[in-house]
């Protein structure tokens, strides 16, 4: 069994498929259940209200939302800042607008890259031929 340092508390533990030690996993699971229960009773809660009431770390709470474990469909006020523009969002890393812009930018960059690779191949081919 390989050992590793827990990403959260830095304790050494037997590494399984997860990056956290069993104790941190148990703590996160407990925090998740507390937050879930709180949100069910307080649908209009904000991020600050949830962390105040549940004493769950704000970073842990945001991580649960970002990785999709905590879904906020029923909690419109529970938002956190978009990583790109700072606008309030409540799913993933970016607000819907940034997510859309990034998809567009990414596909544009991929097309450009594909063109560059293609052009480079051709240049290489022709310059090699010219040297022969
Ligand atoms: Zn740990
Ligand atoms: Zn944004």
């Amino acid at each position: 069994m390989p050992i590793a340092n827990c990403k959260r508390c830095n304790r050494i533990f037997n590494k399984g498929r997860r990056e956290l030690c069993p104790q941190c996993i148990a703590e996160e699971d407990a925090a998740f259940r507390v937050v879930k229960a709180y949100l069910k009773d307080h649908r209009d809660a904000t991020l600050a209200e949830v962390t105040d009431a549940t004493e769950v770390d704000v970073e842990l709470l945001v991580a649960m939302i970002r990785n999709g474990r905590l879904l906020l469909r029923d909690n419109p006020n529970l938002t956190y800042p978009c990583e790109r523009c700072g606008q309030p969002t409540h799913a993933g890393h970016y607000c819907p607008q940034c997510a859309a812009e990034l998809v567009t930018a990414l596909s544009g960059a991929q097309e450009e890259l594909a063109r560059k690779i293609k052009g480079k191949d051709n240049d290489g081919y022709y310059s090699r031929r010219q040297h022969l």
Side-chain angles (χ1 to χ4, degrees):
M1 196 66 128
I3 57 169
N5 287 87
C6 172
K7 284 256 194 253
R8 186 155 167 259
C9 69
N10 222 26
R11 262 190 295 259
I12 288 175
F13 70 110
N14 287 325
K15 191 169 164 45
R17 271 175 304 168
R18 299 179 72 162
E19 294 180 318
L20 299 179
C21 71
Q23 194 170 331
C24 285
I25 290 172
E27 278 173 24
E28 287 202 357
D29 285 348
F32 177 71
R33 280 195 294 274
V34 169
V35 169
K36 269 288 250 206
Y38 181 81
L39 287 178
K40 222 174 149 216
D41 294 339
H42 303 82
R43 287 178 184 256
D44 295 329
T46 63
L47 192 69
E49 282 168 0
V50 176
T51 52
D52 277 359
T54 61
E55 293 183 357
V56 169
D57 206 50
V58 68
E59 280 176 26
L60 177 58
L61 181 57
V62 170
M64 284 193 263
I65 304 166
R66 281 198 178 128
N67 66 27
R69 190 168 181 199
L70 198 60
L71 296 173
L72 303 178
R73 276 191 291 257
D74 298 327
N75 307 98
N77 295 332
L78 190 63
T79 58
Y80 55 92
C82 164
E83 280 186 12
R84 190 158 168 261
C85 71
Q87 287 289 319
T89 183
H90 54 255
H93 289 262
Y94 307 108
C95 67
Q97 197 184 330
C98 284
E101 280 174 22
L102 286 170
V103 167
T104 312
L106 196 69
S107 61
Q110 269 171 349
E111 273 167 31
E112 197 173 319
L113 194 69
R115 260 199 308 275
K116 269 185 193 159
I117 289 170
K118 232 176 148 189
K120 211 174 179 178
D121 276 359
N122 286 343
D123 287 353
Y125 179 71
Y126 287 115
S127 56
R128 269 200 306 279
R129 291 269 295 200
Q130 276 158 13
H131 285 132
L132 284 174

